[in-house]
């Protein structure tokens, strides 16, 4: 069952690194998720320095947490949220918490009831769609991990959408919807060997699954639209749409 992300709250999983050890970004994100799940709560900024493992208690981090520690846990609402304002959260501002922190980062996902009976600061927010909770937030309440990765199925879906919109509105205003040659090549590559193409992004997704399994946390990984990420579903979608996509490619090339 997929998740209605427009009725959810999000908290990004920021990378956590040891400046003495060079690691890939995804490994630093997993390190942060491990720390979060080990402790079991999101905490206000001023508490971070006290809960980090010794390997991260380096002079590089201490001044940052002391200087920027604050009294809240920040949760973002979806940019098209169906939920009401909470604690003075504003909508459609110039700078969005969702766009700034969630859209391009792995994120914890909570359902709409995570704000119930919480101490929430009613303040002017620098980012729209943002809620400031002034207490710890239990991670037993997360319902999913949202991942910002493009998958072959999402590439195919975007290709179909752009072709159909570009065809429907065949004028200069919609020229940017028409797929570019490199996008056609990418789609053709997916159709030639979908299993291999699916394997690439799911190798990253699997790292988050493994982390959740280590912590006995049985929640799904989802994409930004709330669809549960699943290899078999990806492959099925591609196969179901192969003939349609080939027809669209033929039309583009003719």
């Amino acid at each position: 069952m997929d998740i209605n992300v427009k009725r959810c709250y999000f908290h990004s999983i920021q990378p956590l690194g040891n400046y003495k050890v060079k690691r890939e970004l995804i490994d630093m994100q997993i390190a942060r998720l491990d720390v979060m799940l080990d402790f079991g709560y999101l905490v206000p900024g001023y508490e971070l320095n006290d809960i980090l493992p010794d390997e991260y208690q380096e002079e590089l981090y201490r001044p940052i947490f002391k200087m920027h520690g604050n009294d809240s846990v920040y949760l973002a609402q979806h940019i098209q949220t169906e939920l009401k304002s909470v604690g003075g959260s504003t909508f459609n501002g110039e700078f969005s918490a969702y766009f700034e922190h969630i859209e391009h980062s792995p994120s914890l996902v909570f359902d709409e009831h995570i704000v119930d009976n919480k101490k929430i600061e009613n303040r002017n927010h620098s980012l729209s769609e943002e809620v400031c909770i002034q207490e710890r937030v239990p991670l037993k309440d997360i319902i999913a991990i949202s991942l910002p990765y493009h998958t072959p199925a999402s590439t195919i879906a975007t290709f179909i959408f752009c072709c159909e919109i570009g065809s429907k509105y065949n004028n200069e205003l919609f020229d940017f919807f028409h797929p570019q040659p490199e996008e056609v090549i990418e789609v053709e590559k997916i159709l030639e060997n979908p299993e291999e193409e699916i394997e690439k992004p799911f190798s990253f997704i699997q790292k988050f699954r493994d982390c959740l399994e280590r912590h006995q946390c049985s929640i799904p990984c989802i994409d930004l639209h709330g669809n549960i990420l699943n290899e078999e579903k990806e492959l099925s979608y591609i196969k179901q749409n192969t003939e349609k996509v080939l027809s669209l490619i033929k039309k583009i090339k003719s």
Side-chain angles (χ1 to χ4, degrees):
M1 181 177 171
D2 297 329
I3 292 172
N4 182 2
V5 291
K6 295 179 183 180
R7 300 195 68 84
C8 291
Y9 292 91
F10 305 83
H11 185 88
S12 66
I13 303 168
Q14 293 300 311
L16 187 61
N18 182 332
Y19 76 100
K20 295 179 180 178
V21 181
K22 187 175 181 179
R23 288 196 287 181
E24 297 292 332
L25 174 61
I26 188 170
D27 294 321
M28 292 191 291
Q29 291 166 334
I30 295 296
R32 183 59 177 269
L33 182 57
D34 267 322
V35 170
M36 288 172 159
L37 294 176
D38 277 338
F39 189 70
Y41 293 87
L42 294 180
V43 301
Y46 68 85
E47 290 190 51
L48 276 176
N49 200 53
D50 297 328
I51 69 170
L52 288 178
D54 291 341
E55 64 185 290
Y56 302 110
Q57 296 283 8
E58 303 289 354
E59 46 201 57
L60 179 70
Y61 281 98
R62 285 185 184 278
I64 294 174
F65 290 130
K66 286 182 180 178
M67 185 184 306
H68 299 290
N70 51 63
D71 63 358
S72 299
V73 170
Y74 296 93
L75 298 183
Q77 293 171 278
H78 193 274
I79 192 66
Q80 296 176 315
T81 186
E82 296 174 353
L83 302 174
K84 296 179 180 178
S85 173
V86 177
S89 62
T90 58
F91 304 126
N92 304 315
E94 183 178 1
F95 301 103
S96 161
Y98 184 85
F99 281 154
E100 293 287 331
H101 297 296
I102 307 303
E103 189 178 41
H104 303 293
S105 296
S107 304
L108 305 174
V109 184
F110 298 88
D111 73 16
E112 59 190 283
H113 299 294
I114 193 62
V115 297
D116 294 350
N117 303 312
K118 294 288 193 303
K119 182 182 178 183
I120 297 174
E121 176 71 3
N122 195 330
R123 59 168 60 145
N124 291 324
H125 299 255
S126 59
L127 297 174
S128 61
E129 293 86 42
E130 184 174 67
V131 178
C132 305
I133 297 179
Q134 293 193 290
E135 59 182 270
R136 293 179 175 184
V137 175
L139 294 187
K140 65 178 179 59
D141 293 328
I142 55 176
I143 61 172
I145 300 288
S146 174
L147 299 176
Y149 305 129
H150 291 291
T151 67
S154 66
T155 300
I156 294 294
T158 301
F159 178 80
I160 293 172
F161 172 79
C162 289
C163 287
E164 291 178 344
I165 291 293
S167 176
K168 183 177 181 181
Y169 301 100
N170 195 15
N171 59 56
E172 291 182 3
L173 288 176
F174 290 87
D175 276 350
F176 59 89
F177 279 108
H178 292 288
Q180 299 301 306
E182 61 272 17
E183 294 172 322
V184 174
I185 291 171
E186 183 182 5
V187 167
E188 288 178 321
K189 190 176 179 183
I190 291 170
L191 296 184
E192 286 172 8
N193 197 338
E195 290 89 349
E196 184 177 316
E197 293 301 311
I198 287 171
E199 188 176 332
K200 295 174 183 177
F202 274 86
S203 65
F204 290 95
I205 295 165
Q206 189 59 45
K207 290 194 175 190
F208 287 91
R209 289 172 173 168
D210 291 342
C211 181
L212 292 170
E213 187 175 344
R214 284 197 300 274
H215 294 275
Q216 299 181 330
C217 190
S218 57
I219 60 171
C221 293
I222 63 173
D223 65 16
L224 294 175
H225 302 289
N227 302 309
I228 294 174
L229 292 162
N230 176 278
E231 293 92 328
E232 291 182 5
K233 189 165 71 170
E234 287 268 321
L235 186 59
S236 175
Y237 177 83
I238 294 168
K239 289 183 175 180
Q240 287 172 9
N241 287 278
T242 293
E243 287 189 17
K244 182 176 185 177
V245 173
L246 287 173
S247 176
L248 291 170
I249 291 173
K250 185 177 179 179
K251 188 180 295 186
I252 290 170
K253 291 183 174 182
S254 62

